[in-house]
Amino acid sequence: MPKHVAFIMDGNRRYAQKTHKVRQEGHTQGFEKLAETLRWCLNLGIHEVTVYAFSIENFKRSKEEVDGLMELARQKFSRLLTEQCFLNVCFAYTSRHEIANAVKEMAWGVEQGLINPSDVSEALLSECLYSSSSPDPDLLIRTSGEVRLSDFLLWQTSYSCLVFQSVLWPEYSFWNLCEAVLQYQLSHRSLQKARELHQEEQKLQQLESDSTCLSEILQRGGNGKPMEAQSRQNALLHYTSSREQRVQRFLNALQHKRDSFFDRLSSQTNDGEKAAKGKEEPTRRSARLSAKAAKGKKASNPAENGDAKADQAQKVDAAADSK
Amino acid sequence: MVFLYELVWRFLHALLYLQRALLSWFRVHVWRLKQSAVGLILPLAIGFHNRRKPGPTGKRSSRRVRWGADGRTPEKLPVHVGLLVTEEEIHYTEIASLVVWCMAVGISYVSVYDNQGVFKRNNSRLMEEIHKQQQELAGTDSSKYSVECSKNGTDKQDHQVFSCEPVVKVLSPDDGRHSIVRAAQQLCRAIELKEKTVKDINISLLDSLLRESKNIPDPDLVLKFGTVQSTLGFLPWHIRLTEIISMPSHRDVSYEDLLGALQRYAACEQRLGK
């Protein structure tokens, strides 16, 4: 059974057209379907879901439609927080922005003197994505019959099972989900093999990279005499360990930067709500971005990004105690 | 209860395996019949010649390529097609055929990919096979004929026709995520040397670096061969808007199959977020 499923919820507008309703009604049905699908996922044992709610490209739509979607998000997502799973909502998102941002974060790390350019690797880039605290999706489902990724999780779905289904999102059924899961199960072994092969190649590349860096260091600081094999081996282990420590320090600094960002965002938008609800001070919205599943923490309302700035990709996690 | 649940899943699996086996047998036998028919009709005089200056619209002096049957030419052709082979066993002849057919149809760029880097390691073997097939299809006098590639996305009545030399690229996972990592390292080195600032880094800068190394336009279409439902690391950055069409196998694939996929591609409507 897949542990993490991603959905491109496509077909709301075509559904509205088909059933002779207004567009907004199509989107509303779409959100209802999302709530329903989350419950099905839970029943099947799928505890993490990522959805493509709104792309940066969708800002091209009419103001009326964009405002309608924002309002819908505002109303509906808070309801979904009561479900016992991880829900990642990609809002004002594109994958290329996410990847470029991850590169930017690593560049920031280099600028701050926390890491070296040679420390940049696939693994590190993955840690700098918004989805760093989630495993890569096992299964990606796109409805409405389109067979493209549309700038969604391009990095993370390289080895995921892609299932394209022709059903329109608001008409999605439990059987459609089962069909997708079946396809995942049939591809599972091949995908596992491909993933393992890739991981092996990565390990080799990292080893090679560490070895090259070590050679450079020895050349610079050495006395010209070649090193003994054992000494070199020790030096390599030492270099690898220091690189890992450097990278960890950088990731901690990055986490701190992100937490501060969300805390600022929380305090800006939640002041009124805090008073109205009378709850204890909400902890960070992105409870997931820090250490794994903090038990007992409930995320507050998702951050709404009404600001159409292209490089503000929001990823909001709603984590609830599963026990 | 759990036992029953598992039994249901296993039963569904068995059904699906059976369905796949039947479908694949059916496909092979029906397509084989069609292939032998198409083989007679397929224009043998398809050749390639060197760049020439873009001609005026309307009448052209050289002979145009015609398809087998009228009205089957897709109106919208992809500029760059990726052939993604997920199968373990690779048949170079068949892949070479696909490449040559794509080029004959007017596709400017064809990429060939497998996630184990087999094509890359056997690059020369593939190229040899492609040349062989080109010779076979071109016949003895290839200079008489030309392949025309129309510029992507232009109006039917008013298009300029350029003659271009099709490009074949052989790719592997190294050209995917790892290529993005290399670009990131390059940018980080520039940051270290204070040649660039963090603020300079954005999508277009990263995109230009990724394009610089391979200089190919984004794939419009990926034809995926095999039953594995994944891109298996194929150019993640470049496939953001790529249509992904699955085909059961690259073995026994026919020109008809390719045309069918191209027609399906032509029918896709990209709204680009709107």
Side-chain angles (χ1 to χ4, degrees):
Chain A
M1 197 57 72
K3 296 188 198 62
H4 180 186
V5 177
F7 287 93
I8 301 179
M9 310 180 291
D10 201 5
N12 292 343
R13 293 184 297 175
R14 272 167 280 175
Y15 168 79
Q17 213 172 19
K18 184 173 147 182
T19 53
H20 309 292
K21 294 189 177 120
V22 293
R23 263 188 191 179
Q24 188 64 8
E25 182 59 30
H27 291 308
T28 309
Q29 289 299 318
F31 268 87
E32 294 301 333
K33 187 54 65 175
L34 172 60
E36 213 179 343
T37 305
L38 273 183
R39 262 173 258 126
W40 296 332
C41 286
L42 272 174
N43 289 336
L44 288 173
I46 300 164
H47 287 288
E48 185 160 7
V49 171
T50 300
V51 297
Y52 202 2
F54 195 88
S55 164
I56 291 171
E57 303 290 336
N58 294 147
F59 280 115
K60 291 180 200 166
R61 297 184 181 181
S62 70
K63 184 175 187 315
E64 192 191 342
E65 190 174 348
V66 172
D67 288 346
L69 282 164
M70 295 291 178
E71 187 50 41
L72 209 53
R74 210 182 301 271
Q75 288 171 12
K76 302 286 184 182
F77 278 123
S78 48
R79 235 186 60 191
L80 296 173
L81 287 172
T82 57
E83 304 291 340
Q84 289 176 356
C85 66
F86 286 113
L87 170 64
N88 307 315
V89 181
C90 295
F91 208 88
Y93 171 92
T94 67
S95 188
R96 281 193 178 182
H97 274 98
E98 184 184 24
I99 296 170
N101 186 73
V103 173
K104 221 169 162 169
E105 302 285 28
M106 294 189 291
W108 170 77
V110 168
E111 192 186 58
Q112 299 293 309
L114 294 165
I115 47 168
N116 302 330
S118 57
D119 295 337
V120 170
S121 66
E122 270 189 48
L124 185 59
L125 201 151
S126 295
E127 292 287 342
C128 296
L129 295 169
Y130 300 127
S131 60
S132 57
S133 46
S134 295
D136 287 342
D138 298 298
L139 169 61
L140 182 140
I141 298 168
R142 179 170 190 156
T143 54
S144 88
E146 306 294 352
V147 291
R148 52 185 181 264
L149 296 171
S150 298
D151 223 337
F152 183 58
L153 303 180
L154 300 172
W155 177 278
Q156 298 91 326
T157 57
S158 280
Y159 296 93
S160 306
C161 179
L162 305 180
V163 174
F164 298 108
Q165 297 180 292
S166 52
V167 61
L168 298 174
W169 176 251
E171 293 173 330
Y172 203 68
S173 75
F174 179 69
W175 301 114
N176 292 131
L177 181 61
C178 286
E179 189 196 332
V181 169
L182 258 173
Q183 300 213 31
Y184 159 79
Q185 291 172 334
L186 290 171
S187 282
H188 177 70
R189 204 167 289 159
S190 318
L191 287 175
Q192 188 74 348
K193 203 171 157 194
R195 244 180 257 127
E196 280 165 10
L197 179 69
H198 184 75
Q199 276 160 11
E200 283 305 315
E201 279 167 358
Q202 266 186 279
K203 278 199 196 121
L204 281 170
Q205 263 164 6
Q206 185 65 80
L207 199 62
E208 234 179 85
S209 164
D210 284 350
S211 191
T212 310
C213 290
L214 180 66
S215 299
E216 283 173 12
I217 293 171
L218 291 174
Q219 226 173 19
R220 274 184 266 140
N223 55 5
K225 274 196 272 182
M227 238 187 181
E228 266 181 13
Q230 189 54 51
S231 314
R232 196 196 156 84
Q233 190 61 21
N234 291 340
L236 187 62
L237 285 168
H238 179 77
Y239 176 81
T240 302
S241 156
S242 63
R243 174 183 52 77
E244 283 167 357
Q245 280 176 29
R246 233 184 356 255
V247 163
Q248 195 50 54
R249 272 197 301 272
F250 159 69
L251 289 174
N252 293 341
L254 180 62
Q255 189 57 59
H256 180 77
K257 193 166 81 142
R258 283 176 169 174
D259 290 344
S260 315
F261 170 77
F262 279 110
D263 285 342
R264 273 199 310 275
L265 212 56
S266 281
S267 55
Q268 275 169 29
T269 55
N270 262 13
D271 283 335
E273 286 162 348
K274 188 169 120 187
K277 287 193 173 166
K279 278 196 173 133
E280 60 181 58
E281 185 179 304
T283 44
R284 45 197 89 104
R285 260 159 219 204
S286 54
R288 198 65 197 290
L289 288 178
S290 54
K292 296 285 171 180
K295 304 264 185 307
K297 276 186 182 168
K298 266 212 167 99
S300 51
N301 294 326
E304 297 302 296
N305 188 14
D307 190 351
K309 260 194 280 176
D311 59 357
Q312 287 252 2
Q314 294 286 328
K315 187 173 178 288
V316 175
D317 301 345
D321 193 347
S322 54
K323 297 263 184 316
Chain B
M1 187 60 202
V2 176
F3 177 70
L4 189 68
Y5 191 61
E6 265 213 44
L7 206 64
V8 172
W9 280 113
R10 284 191 198 284
F11 176 67
L12 287 167
H13 275 233
L15 267 180
L16 216 62
Y17 270 126
L18 191 67
Q19 184 209 34
R20 272 195 182 172
L22 279 170
L23 264 173
S24 115
W25 178 91
F26 183 71
R27 266 201 185 92
V28 166
H29 282 78
V30 173
W31 289 140
R32 266 188 189 153
L33 283 170
K34 280 195 174 182
Q35 200 173 8
S36 49
V38 167
L40 297 169
I41 304 166
L42 178 71
L44 299 171
I46 294 173
F48 309 91
H49 79 111
N50 296 323
R51 247 177 262 271
R52 62 178 163 92
K53 294 203 193 89
T57 54
K59 285 195 180 162
R60 279 166 226 96
S61 49
S62 60
R63 210 179 294 196
R64 291 180 76 190
V65 171
R66 290 189 205 287
W67 310 121
D70 269 355
R72 295 206 307 170
T73 314
E75 286 181 355
K76 177 177 114 190
L77 262 185
V79 177
H80 177 183
V81 169
L83 303 175
L84 204 169
V85 181
T86 68
E87 295 155 286
E88 297 257 352
E89 219 184 289
I90 290 176
H91 294 239
Y92 290 87
T93 321
E94 263 105 333
I95 293 295
S97 299
L98 278 163
V99 171
V100 167
W101 290 335
C102 283
M103 296 196 289
V105 153
I107 293 163
S108 315
Y109 297 91
V110 181
S111 296
V112 180
Y113 176 93
D114 76 291
N115 78 302
Q116 293 179 314
V118 176
F119 283 122
K120 251 207 175 145
R121 286 195 294 275
N122 296 282
N123 192 4
S124 46
R125 182 176 166 188
L126 179 65
M127 289 305 169
E128 246 178 66
E129 199 62 45
I130 291 172
H131 284 133
K132 209 165 82 177
Q133 301 252 354
Q134 273 180 281
Q135 302 278 344
E136 275 176 31
L137 281 173
T140 51
D141 193 1
S142 55
S143 59
K144 254 202 271 179
Y145 306 97
S146 69
V147 170
E148 292 168 343
C149 325
S150 51
K151 213 170 175 198
N152 208 24
T154 49
D155 189 64
K156 253 200 289 182
Q157 275 99 21
D158 190 24
H159 69 258
Q160 284 192 302
V161 177
F162 298 92
S163 196
C164 49
E165 209 151 287
V167 175
V168 181
K169 288 278 178 191
V170 175
L171 303 173
S172 71
D174 193 60
D175 303 292
R177 282 185 178 182
H178 199 67
S179 159
I180 299 173
V181 168
R182 279 197 297 271
Q185 284 171 340
Q186 196 180 330
L187 287 171
C188 286
R189 278 194 292 271
I191 297 283
E192 199 178 41
L193 297 170
K194 307 234 190 301
E195 287 167 8
K196 281 199 161 61
T197 64
V198 174
K199 281 201 175 69
D200 295 331
I201 298 175
N202 54 31
I203 289 182
S204 44
L205 180 59
L206 194 52
D207 192 54
S208 65
L209 280 179
L210 291 169
R211 216 154 293 288
E212 196 179 28
S213 54
K214 288 290 169 187
N215 201 32
I216 14 171
D218 288 347
D220 303 286
L221 169 65
V222 154
L223 294 177
K224 187 181 69 62
F225 300 94
T227 53
V228 181
Q229 294 181 259
S230 171
T231 55
L232 295 181
F234 177 75
L235 298 182
W237 177 268
H238 301 81
I239 57 167
R240 71 176 176 117
L241 296 176
T242 308
E243 303 290 338
I244 302 166
I245 292 178
S246 291
M247 305 185 67
S249 175
H250 71 288
R251 291 193 332 250
D252 300 323
V253 71
S254 70
Y255 182 67
E256 278 278 304
D257 294 334
L258 175 65
L259 267 191
L262 290 176
Q263 274 161 355
R264 211 180 131 186
Y265 167 79
C268 287
E269 190 205 326
Q270 294 223 348
R271 292 171 293 277
L272 301 170
K274 289 204 207 103

